[in-house]
Amino acid sequence: MDIRRPPSKAMRSGKAGEPFKSYQNYSNNMKQQQQNLKASSDAVLLLRVPLYITNGIFFTLFFSAAYFLLHRWREKIRTSAPLHILSLSDIAAIVSLIASFIYLLGFFGIGFLLSIIPRASHDHEDAWDVHNNDHLIAKEDSRPPGPCAAAIDYSLVPPVLPCTNGSSNAAAPLPLSQDDEEIIKSVVSGSTPSYSLEAKLGDCRRAAAIRREALQRSSGRSLEGLPLEGFDYDSILGQCCEMPVGYVQIPVGVAGPLFLDGKEYTVPMATTEGCLVASTNRGCKAIYASGGATTVLLRDGMTRAPVVRFSSASRAAELKFFLEDPLNFESLSLVFNRSSRFGKLQYIKCAIAGKNLYMRFSCSTGDAMGMNMVSKGVQNVLDFLQDDFPDMDVIGISGNFCSDKKPAAVNWIEGRGKSVVCEAIIKEEVVRKVLKTNVAALVELNMLKNLTGSAVAGVLGGFNAHASNIVSAIYIATGQDPAQNVESSHCITMMEAVNDGKDLHISVTMPSIEVGTVGGGTQLASQSACLNLLDVKGANRDSPGSNSRLLATIVAGSVLAGELSLMSALAAGQLVKSHLKYNRSSKDMSKISP
Ligand code: ADP
């Protein structure tokens, strides 16, 4: 049996990074509090009866005993009998009163006592109390997996122990040897370059530990809080990160099941934004209850656009016509495709600025996100073109017409990576019961916010409520390049009342989802585990490219869920109120059918 008392504020105020001493005080308080709770839990456990019955029994006992004793004392005073002479029933009543008082104090008084125990920090509480994110909806979703505060029993969560070296207690760093000490000194003095440590030592973890210590000494700044142990530094060498000194921890939550194209997915999201996962989770619930969402992959091709310069615009135009001539495509693709069995040239689109030519190569890349693959193919073609265009001056293999990690109309219009559209029909009842709003309010909010409002703001690909929230969280969890969130979050969210205005048709169209399931950060242990959860880990041997395409559809489906939930929270919270305020409708919009 569990005592379902809410955690006190004192119990919630644990904050990693406090000085060790205050941690000890905090830890002792926590232990004491947990023991108190456990004691009362155990007492109740012994009785093996429902909590409300034991509470009822002790309440009745307390008041009955108190009433009996008062009655007896009044009787004694009236008859002038001595008060200190007790009968057997008096003794039984006193014992019952004390016992029930101890029980009631233990059960109901602890919360009060804990709330007056001095707290380690006020900051944490502020964060706890102030929930002003506009996608704050967790309380509306009664499902247990919600990650918001209300769903978490903090009495069961041990605080992180801050160590002197900054890693968690579960991963205390190994001590540095005398040899290490010498190397640290030489790094601090500059005689050993920090970047050369991995190559020199042949031990990536040791190199990171030495670099970290040298950095702390030379900068005079502590890296406490940034863990060192518990990470495979070999796995990032030459691929993911140079000169590591530790790693940042980001919590991973799950939203789902997301019912997409007839299958269920549990979507991992790495984020520190409270309630984002809960919000997406609620959207998933609405989609599920309405029969699921479907996706269509419209195109799949990664792009790279080098810039070359000629002595005249006409010469630049000559190359443009050559590249765009269908008769030359076969020879160009033969050259391009040499670099990888997965990279297949799809088309070349050119743009001219004076005598400069920008050639946007697009190719399929299998399960890789494909930046390296397309770059290698482009390099092959540039080398090949030098024979016929020896006056071509290659300025850069990337001329920004690609366009990578920058908001650009070319990606919004032409697409980059995977272009996906995802749609669902959300039933009127689900909109009302799960999303706590109505179809008319959602359609109107979408028109005024995501379409008109975004047009007023002059956005590029930003006709949505918060696609980037979901994209970034999934990208970080699954080892994608988070910087590609810029164009991957391009999304237009459409909403329309269908089925005689009863139900809601919602869609998200995302032209530039850049994802892969091989290469880059996808091969790291944590990220690879998240890909595995979605059953898209690594290369798909039977059908290369299927894993990354599936991942792109899951991203779009999750964005659909996120859009649904946030838009509903906004519609329920603001739009309905404003309707009433401005008297456009005298009725409560949330209670009428659209
Ligand atoms: P990116 O091009 O996304 O930057 P990489 O350069 O790491 O990624 O390329 C992916 C590597 O994985 C290539 O060497 C490629 O040959 C290999 N590979 C193995 N299986 C696949 C697959 N199914 N799809 C794409 N690449 C694959």
Side-chain angles (χ1 to χ4, degrees):
M1 195 185 303
D2 193 13
I3 294 184
R4 296 183 199 286
R5 185 183 297 122
S8 73
K9 285 185 176 179
M11 292 178 78
R12 292 185 238 130
S13 62
K15 181 173 138 190
E18 289 286 311
F20 189 70
K21 205 169 172 187
S22 68
Y23 166 74
Q24 277 181 325
N25 293 337
Y26 171 77
S27 174
N28 290 339
N29 285 341
M30 287 287 293
K31 273 186 205 151
Q32 190 57 49
Q33 292 159 13
Q34 283 169 355
Q35 274 165 9
N36 291 343
L37 278 177
K38 191 170 178 295
S40 57
S41 301
D42 289 346
V44 177
L45 262 173
L46 284 176
L47 296 172
R48 301 250 177 241
V49 284
L51 207 53
Y52 67 91
I53 293 182
T54 55
N55 286 348
I57 291 170
F58 279 103
F59 261 119
T60 313
L61 197 64
F62 180 80
F63 288 113
S64 310
Y67 177 79
F68 176 80
L69 287 172
L70 284 173
H71 185 76
R72 286 280 297 146
W73 286 336
R74 203 181 60 164
E75 189 84 3
K76 282 182 183 176
I77 290 166
R78 203 160 51 81
T79 58
S80 300
L83 289 177
H84 62 277
I85 298 177
L86 301 174
S87 67
L88 210 61
S89 55
D90 291 344
I91 294 170
I94 290 170
V95 170
S96 303
L97 186 76
I98 293 170
S100 54
F101 179 74
I102 290 171
Y103 172 88
L104 294 172
L105 183 71
F107 192 83
F108 294 103
I110 281 179
F112 171 72
L113 289 177
L114 295 186
S115 71
I116 57 173
I117 291 171
R119 286 170 287 210
S121 154
H122 292 287
D123 298 348
H124 193 84
E125 281 182 351
D126 292 344
W128 179 276
D129 290 334
V130 180
H131 289 283
N132 57 0
N133 284 330
D134 54 3
H135 53 265
L136 175 65
I137 46 71
K139 282 181 194 155
E140 295 174 26
D141 189 348
S142 57
R143 286 180 297 168
C148 283
I152 303 168
D153 182 356
Y154 275 72
S155 65
L156 303 176
V157 180
V160 174
L161 173 66
C163 296
T164 47
N165 48 36
S167 61
S168 74
N169 57 344
L174 304 173
L176 295 162
S177 68
Q178 191 52 44
D179 280 358
D180 293 343
E181 193 56 42
E182 292 305 313
I183 305 170
I184 290 165
K185 281 182 188 152
S186 76
V187 173
V188 172
S189 71
S191 52
T192 299
S194 177
Y195 66 79
S196 68
L197 286 171
E198 277 79 4
K200 264 199 168 68
L201 302 172
D203 179 344
C204 294
R205 194 217 67 84
R206 191 173 159 217
I210 288 171
R211 178 178 298 114
R212 175 196 181 91
E213 187 54 32
L215 175 62
Q216 294 194 104
R217 290 186 198 177
S218 58
S219 66
R221 312 294 307 173
S222 166
L223 285 176
E224 185 174 329
L226 184 78
L228 171 71
E229 302 299 344
F231 190 80
D232 178 8
Y233 292 93
D234 291 314
S235 67
I236 58 170
L237 184 67
Q239 186 153 18
C240 294
C241 182
E242 298 75 38
M243 302 209 283
V245 290
Y247 60 96
V248 168
Q249 297 161 302
I250 304 179
V252 175
V254 289
L258 172 67
F259 195 33
L260 197 65
D261 298 321
K263 281 192 182 162
E264 291 181 19
Y265 301 95
T266 304
V267 184
M269 299 174 73
T271 182
T272 52
E273 183 170 359
C275 289
L276 176 60
V277 185
S279 180
T280 313
N281 199 40
R282 183 175 76 149
C284 290
K285 183 181 178 183
I287 293 171
Y288 198 101
S290 300
T294 53
T295 62
V296 182
L297 190 117
L298 305 168
R299 75 177 286 280
D300 177 12
M302 183 41 70
T303 62
R304 177 57 94 199
V307 51
V308 297
R309 184 166 54 193
F310 289 90
S311 55
S312 66
S314 60
R315 190 70 180 132
E318 261 180 60
L319 179 54
K320 170 182 159 67
F321 296 138
F322 175 84
L323 292 171
E324 291 180 347
D325 186 342
L327 295 177
N328 296 326
F329 182 78
E330 198 178 331
S331 54
L332 288 169
S333 59
L334 264 178
V335 173
F336 184 99
N337 297 349
R338 258 187 235 145
S339 58
S340 165
R341 67 198 156 109
F342 300 102
K344 301 272 179 279
L345 185 64
Q346 295 168 331
Y347 63 84
I348 307 167
K349 186 182 177 67
C350 295
I352 279 186
K355 52 198 180 67
N356 305 299
L357 177 68
Y358 298 82
M359 308 169 263
R360 193 171 188 260
F361 291 78
S362 177
C363 78
S364 59
T365 58
D367 287 311
M369 179 274 287
M371 285 300 295
N372 285 333
M373 211 176 272
V374 66
S375 300
K376 284 180 200 160
V378 166
Q379 190 58 56
N380 290 348
V381 174
L382 289 176
D383 295 344
F384 169 77
L385 290 174
Q386 289 285 355
D387 291 344
D388 288 335
F389 296 86
D391 52 337
M392 178 181 80
D393 187 6
V394 178
I395 304 297
I397 191 156
S398 170
N400 274 10
F401 186 41
C402 315
S403 179
D404 194 38
K405 302 174 184 174
K406 287 153 295 265
V410 71
N411 295 335
W412 175 233
I413 297 165
E414 295 282 322
R416 187 168 198 254
K418 279 86 173 148
S419 306
V420 181
V421 57
C422 177
E423 65 183 334
I425 292 178
I426 309 299
K427 291 178 189 147
E428 186 266 338
E429 193 193 6
V430 175
V431 172
R432 200 163 26 84
K433 287 192 179 157
V434 178
L435 301 173
K436 309 281 192 281
T437 183
N438 63 75
V439 174
L442 275 172
V443 170
E444 183 170 19
L445 177 63
N446 192 64
M447 191 266 288
L448 290 176
K449 174 185 164 67
N450 288 344
L451 305 182
T452 315
S454 296
V456 169
V459 301
L460 179 56
F463 299 95
N464 59 79
H466 70 149
S468 69
N469 258 335
I470 291 93
V471 171
S472 310
I474 300 177
Y475 272 32
I476 295 170
T478 60
Q480 311 304 316
D481 188 337
Q484 288 183 323
N485 163 62
V486 174
E487 60 270 34
S488 295
S489 297
H490 283 350
C491 167
I492 184 164
T493 301
M494 303 292 292
M495 291 190 195
E496 203 182 308
V498 292
N499 300 336
D500 297 328
K502 277 210 322 270
D503 302 332
L504 176 78
H505 181 277
I506 176 172
S507 66
V508 292
T509 307
M510 304 180 68
S512 313
I513 301 178
E514 296 153 339
V515 289
T517 58
V518 294
T522 64
Q523 40 102 30
L524 302 178
S526 323
Q527 290 84 338
S528 156
C530 290
L531 287 169
N532 193 40
L533 178 68
L534 295 170
D535 198 18
V536 293
K537 180 179 163 181
N540 189 311
R541 308 227 173 273
D542 304 329
S543 163
S546 303
N547 281 359
S548 63
R549 285 195 285 271
L550 177 55
L551 180 57
T553 62
I554 292 170
V555 170
S558 308
V559 167
L560 189 90
E563 290 289 280
L564 250 186
S565 187
L566 171 54
M567 289 296 285
S568 300
L570 289 175
Q574 271 88 49
L575 196 72
V576 176
K577 278 188 204 141
S578 75
H579 266 272
L580 294 173
K581 185 174 170 189
Y582 293 108
N583 210 19
R584 285 172 62 190
S585 164
S586 56
K587 292 177 187 165
D588 182 349
M589 294 277 294
S590 63
K591 295 205 171 71
I592 57 170
S593 297

